[in-house]
Amino acid sequence: VQLQASGGGLVQAGGSLRLSCAASGRTFTNWVMGWFRQAPGKEREFVARITWNLGTTYYADSVKGRFTISRDTAKNMVYLQMNSLKFEDTAVYYCAAARALRSGDSRDYVFWGQGTLVTVSS
């Protein structure tokens, strides 16, 4: 299984970016796809997740109303549309895949992408 994240870059506060995650190597029926982020000197934190089949979404409070997670099952792609970006959104963003949610945190996710850096200038 391979998860390839892309789309990061430098953006001014208030701007937008769309991250993409290309998933390959298996079918993801019944899986949950998530985005996490890790800022310098901080622990990795949950951002958003989506169920592959129904597209049910869930967001961290810090991004709710600003970020939108989506998936294209035909293309095996997961996206994170990030609007109204803030300086504190600066982090390396990772996409990940979970067979099922038990703890609801990163321990559920068995496959991880390499990360893409998002830098928001104030």
Side-chain angles (χ1 to χ4, degrees):
V1 173
Q2 195 169 30
L3 301 176
Q4 184 76 30
S6 62
L10 175 64
V11 63
Q12 286 188 331
S16 299
L17 278 177
R18 188 176 84 153
L19 305 184
S20 299
C21 177
S24 61
R26 64 162 297 124
T27 57
F28 291 92
T29 304
N30 297 320
W31 283 54
V32 178
M33 309 300 287
W35 285 97
F36 290 77
R37 66 186 182 186
Q38 188 167 18
K42 295 187 177 181
E43 293 188 354
R44 188 173 297 186
E45 65 173 358
F46 167 79
V47 175
R49 66 173 182 252
I50 187 167
T51 60
W52 193 260
N53 290 10
L54 297 180
T56 304
T57 59
Y58 183 78
Y59 298 91
D61 287 343
S62 58
V63 306
K64 202 173 295 183
R66 300 188 298 122
F67 290 11
T68 302
I69 188 171
S70 62
R71 88 275 186 257
D72 184 330
T73 57
K75 296 181 179 179
N76 266 22
M77 296 290 294
V78 181
Y79 305 100
L80 186 68
Q81 177 67 43
M82 306 186 295
N83 297 328
S84 302
L85 282 161
K86 304 176 182 180
F87 175 75
E88 50 264 40
D89 294 319
T90 296
V92 177
Y93 284 71
Y94 299 89
C95 60
R99 287 190 182 91
L101 296 181
R102 292 180 176 82
S103 63
D105 59 30
S106 62
R107 292 172 293 177
D108 292 332
Y109 293 80
V110 295
F111 297 114
W112 291 82
Q114 85 290 358
T116 185
L117 176 62
V118 173
T119 303
V120 184
S121 62
S122 57

